Coordinates of all heavy atoms in Angstrom, one line a residue:
M143 N 24.2 154.0 33.2 CA 24.4 153.5 34.5 C 25.8 153.2 34.9 O 26.7 153.2 34.0 CB 23.5 152.2 34.6 CG 22.1 152.3 34.1 SD 21.2 153.7 34.8 CE 20.9 153.1 36.4
D144 N 26.1 153.2 36.1 CA 27.5 152.9 36.6 C 27.8 151.5 36.8 O 28.7 151.1 37.4 CB 27.8 153.7 37.9 CG 26.9 153.4 39.1 OD1 25.9 152.6 38.8 OD2 27.1 153.9 40.0
C145 N 26.8 150.5 36.4 CA 27.1 149.2 36.5 C 26.7 148.5 35.3 O 26.0 149.1 34.5 CB 26.5 148.4 37.8 SG 24.7 148.2 37.5
S146 N 27.2 147.2 35.0 CA 27.0 146.6 33.8 C 25.7 145.8 33.8 O 25.4 145.2 32.8 CB 28.1 145.8 33.4 OG 28.3 144.7 34.5
S147 N 25.0 145.9 34.9 CA 23.8 145.0 35.1 C 22.7 145.7 34.1 O 22.5 146.9 34.1 CB 23.3 144.9 36.5 OG 22.0 144.3 36.5
S148 N 21.9 144.8 33.5 CA 20.7 145.3 32.7 C 19.5 144.5 33.1 O 18.5 144.8 32.6 CB 21.0 145.2 31.2 OG 21.3 143.9 30.9
G149 N 19.6 143.6 34.0 CA 18.4 142.8 34.4 C 17.4 143.4 35.1 O 16.3 143.1 35.2
Q150 N 17.8 144.5 35.9 CA 16.8 145.2 36.9 C 16.5 146.7 36.4 O 16.1 147.4 37.3 CB 17.5 145.1 38.3 CG 17.8 143.8 38.8 CD 16.5 143.1 39.2 OE1 15.5 143.6 39.6 NE2 16.6 141.7 39.1
I151 N 16.7 147.0 35.2 CA 16.4 148.3 34.7 C 15.0 148.5 34.5 O 14.2 147.7 33.9 CB 17.2 148.5 33.3 CG1 18.7 148.4 33.5 CG2 16.9 149.9 32.9 CD1 19.4 149.3 34.5
E152 N 14.5 149.6 35.1 CA 13.1 150.0 34.9 C 13.0 151.4 34.4 O 13.9 152.3 34.8 CB 12.3 149.9 36.2 CG 11.9 148.4 36.6 CD 11.0 148.3 37.7 OE1 9.8 148.6 37.5 OE2 11.4 148.0 38.8
H153 N 12.0 151.7 33.6 CA 11.8 153.1 33.2 C 10.7 153.8 33.8 O 9.6 153.2 34.0 CB 11.6 153.1 31.6 CG 12.9 152.6 30.8 ND1 13.9 153.5 30.5 CD2 13.3 151.5 30.6 CE1 14.8 152.9 29.9 NE2 14.6 151.6 29.9
W154 N 10.8 155.0 34.2 CA 9.8 155.8 34.9 C 9.6 157.1 34.1 O 10.5 157.7 33.6 CB 10.2 156.1 36.3 CG 10.6 154.9 37.1 CD1 11.6 154.2 36.9 CD2 9.9 154.5 38.4 NE1 11.8 153.3 37.9 CE2 10.7 153.3 38.7 CE3 8.8 154.8 39.0 CZ2 10.3 152.7 39.9 CZ3 8.4 154.2 40.2 CH2 9.1 153.0 40.6
T155 N 8.4 157.6 34.0 CA 8.1 158.9 33.5 C 7.1 159.6 34.2 O 6.4 159.0 35.1 CB 7.6 158.8 32.0 OG1 6.3 158.0 32.0 CG2 8.6 158.1 31.1
L156 N 6.9 160.9 34.0 CA 5.9 161.8 34.8 C 4.5 161.3 34.3 O 3.7 161.3 35.2 CB 6.2 163.2 34.4 CG 7.3 164.0 35.2 CD1 7.5 165.3 34.7 CD2 6.9 164.0 36.6
D157 N 4.3 161.2 33.0 CA 3.0 160.9 32.6 C 2.9 159.6 31.8 O 2.5 158.5 32.2 CB 2.3 162.1 32.0 CG 3.3 162.9 31.4 OD1 3.9 162.5 30.4 OD2 3.5 164.1 31.8
D158 N 3.2 159.7 30.6 CA 3.0 158.5 29.7 C 4.5 158.2 29.1 O 5.5 158.8 29.3 CB 2.2 158.8 28.6 CG 2.6 160.0 27.7 OD1 3.7 159.9 27.1 OD2 1.9 160.9 27.6
A159 N 4.5 157.1 28.4 CA 5.7 156.5 27.9 C 6.5 157.4 26.9 O 7.7 157.3 26.6 CB 5.5 155.2 27.3
K160 N 5.7 158.4 26.3 CA 6.3 159.3 25.4 C 6.8 160.6 26.1 O 7.1 161.6 25.4 CB 5.3 159.6 24.3 CG 5.2 158.6 23.2 CD 6.4 158.4 22.4 CE 6.3 157.4 21.3 NZ 7.6 157.3 20.6
S161 N 6.7 160.7 27.4 CA 7.2 161.8 28.0 C 8.7 162.0 27.7 O 9.5 161.1 27.5 CB 7.1 161.6 29.6 OG 7.7 162.6 30.3
A162 N 9.1 163.3 27.6 CA 10.5 163.6 27.2 C 11.4 163.4 28.4 O 12.6 163.4 28.2 CB 10.6 165.1 26.6
I163 N 10.9 163.4 29.5 CA 11.7 163.2 30.7 C 11.5 161.8 31.2 O 10.4 161.3 31.5 CB 11.3 164.2 31.9 CG1 11.5 165.6 31.4 CG2 12.1 163.9 33.1 CD1 11.0 166.7 32.4
Q164 N 12.7 161.0 31.1 CA 12.5 159.7 31.5 C 13.5 159.3 32.7 O 14.7 160.0 32.7 CB 13.0 158.8 30.3 CG 12.2 159.1 29.1 CD 11.3 158.0 28.7 OE1 11.5 156.9 29.0 NE2 10.3 158.4 27.9
I165 N 13.2 158.5 33.6 CA 14.0 158.1 34.6 C 14.3 156.6 34.5 O 13.3 155.8 34.2 CB 13.6 158.4 36.0 CG1 13.9 160.0 36.3 CG2 14.3 157.5 37.1 CD1 13.5 160.4 37.6
E166 N 15.5 156.2 34.5 CA 15.9 154.8 34.4 C 16.5 154.5 35.8 O 17.5 155.0 36.3 CB 17.0 154.7 33.3 CG 16.9 153.4 32.5 CD 18.0 153.4 31.5 OE1 19.2 153.3 31.8 OE2 17.6 153.5 30.3
T167 N 15.9 153.4 36.4 CA 16.5 152.9 37.7 C 17.1 151.6 37.6 O 16.7 150.7 36.6 CB 15.3 152.7 38.7 OG1 14.3 151.8 38.2 CG2 14.6 154.1 39.0
C168 N 18.1 151.3 38.4 CA 18.8 150.0 38.4 C 18.5 149.3 39.7 O 18.9 149.9 40.7 CB 20.3 150.1 38.2 SG 21.2 148.6 38.3
G169 N 17.8 148.3 39.7 CA 17.4 147.6 40.9 C 18.6 146.9 41.5 O 18.5 146.5 42.8
D170 N 19.7 146.7 40.8 CA 20.8 146.0 41.4 C 21.6 146.8 42.3 O 21.9 146.5 43.4 CB 21.7 145.4 40.3 CG 21.2 144.2 39.7 OD1 20.3 143.7 40.3 OD2 21.6 143.9 38.5
C171 N 21.9 148.2 41.9 CA 22.7 149.0 42.8 C 21.8 150.2 43.2 O 22.3 151.1 43.8 CB 23.9 149.5 42.0 SG 23.6 150.2 40.3
T172 N 20.5 150.1 43.1 CA 19.6 151.1 43.6 C 20.0 152.5 43.2 O 19.8 153.4 44.0 CB 19.2 150.9 45.1 OG1 20.5 151.1 45.8 CG2 18.7 149.6 45.4
T173 N 20.3 152.7 41.9 CA 20.6 154.1 41.5 C 19.7 154.4 40.4 O 19.0 153.5 39.8 CB 22.0 154.2 41.0 OG1 22.3 153.2 40.0 CG2 23.1 154.0 42.2
Y174 N 19.5 155.7 40.1 CA 18.8 156.1 38.8 C 19.4 157.3 38.1 O 20.3 157.9 38.7 CB 17.4 156.4 39.2 CG 17.2 157.8 39.9 CD1 16.9 159.0 39.1 CD2 17.3 157.9 41.3 CE1 16.7 160.1 39.8 CE2 17.0 159.1 42.0 CZ 16.7 160.3 41.2 OH 16.5 161.4 41.8
I175 N 19.1 157.4 36.8 CA 19.6 158.4 36.1 C 18.4 159.0 35.4 O 17.6 158.4 34.9 CB 20.7 158.0 35.1 CG1 21.4 159.2 34.4 CG2 20.2 157.0 34.1 CD1 22.7 158.8 33.6
K176 N 18.5 160.3 35.2 CA 17.4 161.1 34.5 C 17.9 161.5 33.1 O 19.0 161.9 32.9 CB 17.1 162.4 35.2 CG 15.8 163.1 34.7 CD 15.6 164.4 35.4 CE 14.9 164.1 36.7 NZ 14.6 165.4 37.4
T177 N 17.0 161.2 32.1 CA 17.3 161.4 30.7 C 16.2 162.3 30.1 O 15.1 162.1 30.3 CB 17.4 160.0 30.0 OG1 18.4 159.1 30.6 CG2 17.7 160.1 28.6
F178 N 16.8 163.1 29.2 CA 15.8 164.0 28.5 C 15.9 163.5 27.1 O 17.0 163.6 26.3 CB 16.3 165.5 28.6 CG 16.1 166.1 30.0 CD1 17.3 166.0 30.8 CD2 15.0 166.5 30.5 CE1 17.2 166.5 32.2 CE2 14.9 167.0 31.8 CZ 16.0 167.0 32.6
R179 N 14.7 163.3 26.5 CA 14.6 162.7 25.2 C 14.3 163.9 24.2 O 13.1 164.2 24.1 CB 13.6 161.6 25.2 CG 13.8 160.4 25.9 CD 15.0 159.5 25.3 NE 14.6 159.2 23.9 CZ 14.1 158.0 23.7 NH1 14.1 157.1 24.6 NH2 13.7 157.7 22.4
L180 N 15.4 164.4 23.7 CA 15.1 165.5 22.7 C 14.4 165.0 21.5 O 13.9 165.9 20.8 CB 16.5 166.2 22.4 CG 17.1 166.9 23.5 CD1 18.4 167.5 23.1 CD2 16.3 167.9 24.3
D181 N 14.4 163.8 21.2 CA 13.6 163.4 20.0 C 12.1 163.4 20.3 O 11.4 163.4 19.4 CB 14.2 161.9 19.7 CG 14.1 160.9 20.8 OD1 14.4 161.4 21.9 OD2 13.9 159.8 20.5
Y182 N 11.8 163.3 21.6 CA 10.4 163.5 22.0 C 9.9 164.9 22.1 O 8.8 165.3 21.9 CB 10.1 162.8 23.2 CG 10.2 161.3 23.2 CD1 10.3 160.5 24.3 CD2 10.1 160.6 21.9 CE1 10.3 159.1 24.4 CE2 10.2 159.2 21.9 CZ 10.2 158.5 23.2 OH 10.3 157.2 23.1
D183 N 10.8 165.8 22.6 CA 10.6 167.2 22.8 C 11.9 168.0 22.5 O 12.5 168.3 23.4 CB 10.1 167.4 24.2 CG 9.7 168.9 24.4 OD1 9.9 169.7 23.5 OD2 9.3 169.2 25.5
P184 N 12.0 168.5 21.3 CA 13.3 169.2 20.9 C 13.3 170.6 21.7 O 14.4 171.2 21.7 CB 13.0 169.5 19.3 CG 12.0 168.5 19.0 CD 11.1 168.3 20.1
E185 N 12.2 171.0 22.2 CA 12.4 172.4 22.9 C 12.7 172.2 24.4 O 12.7 173.2 25.1 CB 10.9 173.0 22.9 CG 10.3 173.2 21.5 CD 11.3 174.2 20.6 OE1 11.6 175.2 21.2 OE2 11.7 173.8 19.5
L186 N 12.9 171.0 24.8 CA 13.2 170.8 26.2 C 14.4 171.6 26.7 O 15.5 171.5 25.9 CB 13.5 169.3 26.3 CG 13.2 168.6 27.7 CD1 11.7 168.8 28.2 CD2 13.6 167.1 27.7
E187 N 14.3 172.2 27.8 CA 15.5 172.8 28.4 C 16.0 172.0 29.6 O 15.2 171.9 30.6 CB 15.2 174.3 28.8 CG 14.9 175.0 27.5 CD 14.8 176.6 27.9 OE1 15.6 177.0 28.7 OE2 13.8 177.2 27.4
A188 N 17.2 171.6 29.6 CA 17.5 170.6 30.5 C 17.4 171.0 32.0 O 16.8 170.4 32.9 CB 18.9 170.1 30.3
V189 N 17.9 172.3 32.3 CA 17.9 172.8 33.6 C 16.5 173.0 34.1 O 16.1 172.6 35.2 CB 18.9 174.0 33.7 CG1 18.7 174.6 35.2 CG2 20.3 173.6 33.4
A190 N 15.7 173.7 33.3 CA 14.4 174.1 33.7 C 13.5 172.8 33.9 O 12.8 172.7 34.9 CB 13.7 175.1 32.7
D191 N 13.6 171.9 33.0 CA 12.8 170.8 33.1 C 13.3 169.8 34.1 O 12.5 169.1 34.6 CB 12.7 170.1 31.7 CG 11.8 170.9 30.7 OD1 10.6 170.9 31.0 OD2 12.3 171.6 29.9
D192 N 14.6 169.9 34.4 CA 15.0 169.1 35.5 C 14.4 169.6 36.8 O 13.9 168.8 37.6 CB 16.6 169.3 35.6 CG 17.2 168.3 36.7 OD1 16.6 167.3 36.9 OD2 18.2 168.8 37.4
L193 N 14.4 170.9 37.0 CA 13.8 171.4 38.2 C 12.2 171.2 38.2 O 11.6 170.9 39.2 CB 14.0 173.0 38.3 CG 15.4 173.3 38.4 CD1 15.5 174.9 38.4 CD2 15.9 172.9 39.8
G194 N 11.6 171.1 36.9 CA 10.2 171.0 36.8 C 9.8 169.5 37.2 O 8.6 169.2 37.3
S195 N 10.8 168.6 37.2 CA 10.4 167.2 37.3 C 11.0 166.6 38.7 O 11.1 165.4 38.8 CB 10.9 166.3 36.1 OG 12.3 166.5 36.0
L196 N 11.3 167.6 39.6 CA 11.8 167.1 40.9 C 10.8 166.2 41.7 O 11.1 165.5 42.5 CB 12.2 168.2 41.8 CG 13.5 169.0 41.2 CD1 13.9 170.2 42.1 CD2 14.7 168.0 41.1
S197 N 9.5 166.4 41.3 CA 8.6 165.5 42.1 C 8.7 164.2 41.5 O 8.5 163.2 42.3 CB 7.1 166.0 41.7 OG 6.8 165.9 40.3
L198 N 9.2 163.9 40.3 CA 9.5 162.5 39.9 C 10.7 162.1 40.7 O 10.7 160.9 41.1 CB 9.7 162.5 38.4 CG 9.9 161.1 37.8 CD1 8.8 160.2 38.1 CD2 10.1 161.2 36.3
D199 N 11.8 162.9 40.8 CA 12.9 162.6 41.6 C 12.5 162.1 43.0 O 13.0 161.1 43.5 CB 13.9 163.6 41.7 CG 14.6 163.9 40.4 OD1 13.9 164.5 39.6 OD2 15.8 163.7 40.3
A200 N 11.6 162.9 43.6 CA 11.2 162.6 45.0 C 10.5 161.2 45.1 O 10.8 160.4 46.0 CB 10.3 163.7 45.5
A201 N 9.7 161.0 44.0 CA 8.9 159.7 44.0 C 9.9 158.5 43.9 O 9.8 157.5 44.6 CB 7.9 159.7 42.9
I202 N 10.9 158.7 43.1 CA 11.8 157.7 42.8 C 12.7 157.3 44.1 O 13.1 156.3 44.5 CB 12.8 158.0 41.6 CG1 11.9 158.1 40.3 CG2 13.9 157.0 41.5 CD1 11.3 156.9 39.9
E203 N 13.1 158.6 44.7 CA 14.0 158.5 46.0 C 13.2 157.8 47.1 O 13.7 157.0 47.9 CB 14.6 159.8 46.3 CG 15.7 160.1 45.5 CD 16.0 161.6 45.5 OE1 15.5 162.4 46.4 OE2 16.8 162.0 44.7
T204 N 11.8 158.0 47.1 CA 11.0 157.4 48.0 C 11.1 155.8 47.8 O 11.0 155.0 48.9 CB 9.5 157.8 47.9 OG1 9.5 159.2 48.2 CG2 8.6 157.0 48.9
E205 N 11.3 155.3 46.7 CA 11.4 153.9 46.4 C 12.8 153.4 46.7 O 13.1 152.3 46.6 CB 11.2 153.7 44.8 CG 9.8 154.1 44.3 CD 8.7 153.2 44.9 OE1 9.0 152.0 45.0 OE2 7.7 153.7 45.1
G206 N 13.6 154.3 47.2 CA 15.0 153.9 47.6 C 16.2 154.0 46.7 O 17.2 153.5 46.9
F207 N 15.9 154.6 45.5 CA 16.9 154.8 44.6 C 17.7 156.2 44.8 O 17.2 157.1 45.3 CB 16.3 154.9 43.1 CG 15.8 153.5 42.7 CD1 14.5 153.4 42.8 CD2 16.5 152.5 42.4 CE1 13.8 152.1 42.5 CE2 16.0 151.3 42.0 CZ 14.6 151.1 42.0
K208 N 19.0 156.2 44.4 CA 19.9 157.3 44.6 C 20.3 157.8 43.1 O 20.7 157.0 42.3 CB 21.1 157.0 45.3 CG 20.9 156.5 46.7 CD 21.3 157.6 47.7 CE 21.2 157.0 49.2 NZ 19.8 156.7 49.6
R209 N 20.1 159.1 43.0 CA 20.5 159.6 41.7 C 22.0 159.7 41.4 O 22.7 160.0 42.3 CB 19.9 161.1 41.6 CG 20.1 161.8 40.2 CD 19.4 163.0 40.1 NE 19.6 163.8 38.9 CZ 19.0 164.9 38.6 NH1 18.1 165.3 39.4 NH2 19.2 165.4 37.4
V210 N 22.3 159.2 40.3 CA 23.8 159.1 39.9 C 24.1 160.1 38.8 O 25.4 160.3 38.7 CB 24.2 157.8 39.6 CG1 24.2 156.7 40.7 CG2 23.4 157.2 38.4
G211 N 23.2 160.7 38.2 CA 23.6 161.6 37.0 C 22.6 162.1 36.3 O 21.4 161.7 36.4
L212 N 22.9 163.0 35.4 CA 21.9 163.5 34.4 C 22.5 163.4 33.0 O 23.7 163.7 32.8 CB 21.8 165.1 34.8 CG 21.0 165.8 33.8 CD1 19.6 165.5 33.8 CD2 21.1 167.4 34.1
N213 N 21.6 162.9 32.1 CA 22.0 162.7 30.9 C 21.1 163.7 30.0 O 20.1 163.2 29.5 CB 21.9 161.3 30.5 CG 22.4 161.0 29.0 OD1 23.0 161.9 28.4 ND2 22.2 159.9 28.6
P214 N 21.6 164.9 29.7 CA 20.6 165.9 29.3 C 20.3 165.8 27.7 O 19.3 166.3 27.3 CB 21.3 167.3 29.5 CG 22.7 166.9 29.6 CD 22.9 165.6 30.2
F215 N 21.1 165.1 26.9 CA 20.9 165.1 25.6 C 21.0 163.7 25.0 O 22.0 163.3 24.4 CB 21.8 165.9 24.9 CG 21.7 167.5 25.4 CD1 22.7 168.1 26.1 CD2 20.6 168.1 25.1 CE1 22.6 169.3 26.5 CE2 20.4 169.6 25.6 CZ 21.4 170.1 26.2
S216 N 20.1 163.0 25.4 CA 20.1 161.6 24.9 C 19.2 161.2 23.7 O 18.1 161.8 23.7 CB 19.5 160.7 26.1 OG 19.5 159.4 25.8
F217 N 19.8 160.5 22.9 CA 19.0 160.1 21.7 C 19.1 158.5 21.6 O 20.0 158.0 22.1 CB 19.7 160.7 20.4 CG 19.4 162.1 20.3 CD1 20.3 163.0 20.7 CD2 18.2 162.6 19.6 CE1 20.1 164.3 20.6 CE2 18.0 164.0 19.5 CZ 19.1 164.8 20.0
P218 N 18.1 157.9 21.1 CA 18.0 156.5 21.1 C 19.2 156.0 20.1 O 19.5 156.6 19.2 CB 16.6 156.1 20.5 CG 16.2 157.4 19.7 CD 16.9 158.5 20.5
V219 N 19.6 154.9 20.5 CA 20.9 154.3 19.8 C 20.3 153.1 19.0 O 19.4 152.4 19.3 CB 22.0 153.9 20.7 CG1 22.6 155.1 21.2 CG2 21.6 152.9 21.7
Ligands
LIG584 ZN1 23.2 149.1 38.6

């Protein structure tokens, strides 16, 4: 995220919590970032799956969030 706030972070997925495509929204600055969890799906292709999940983007943007970036190869820390 582009701010240091962590109090308003929410996680969104297409289907369940183990979905390889995750969106993190920040309620403070109303932005979101899309993350691909290669640990959930090693076969994930960032560009193709980004396009395939645009309906999720649309849903998030309906909530008033603006996309700030793509983090195609994210692993848990
Ligand atoms: Zn923020």
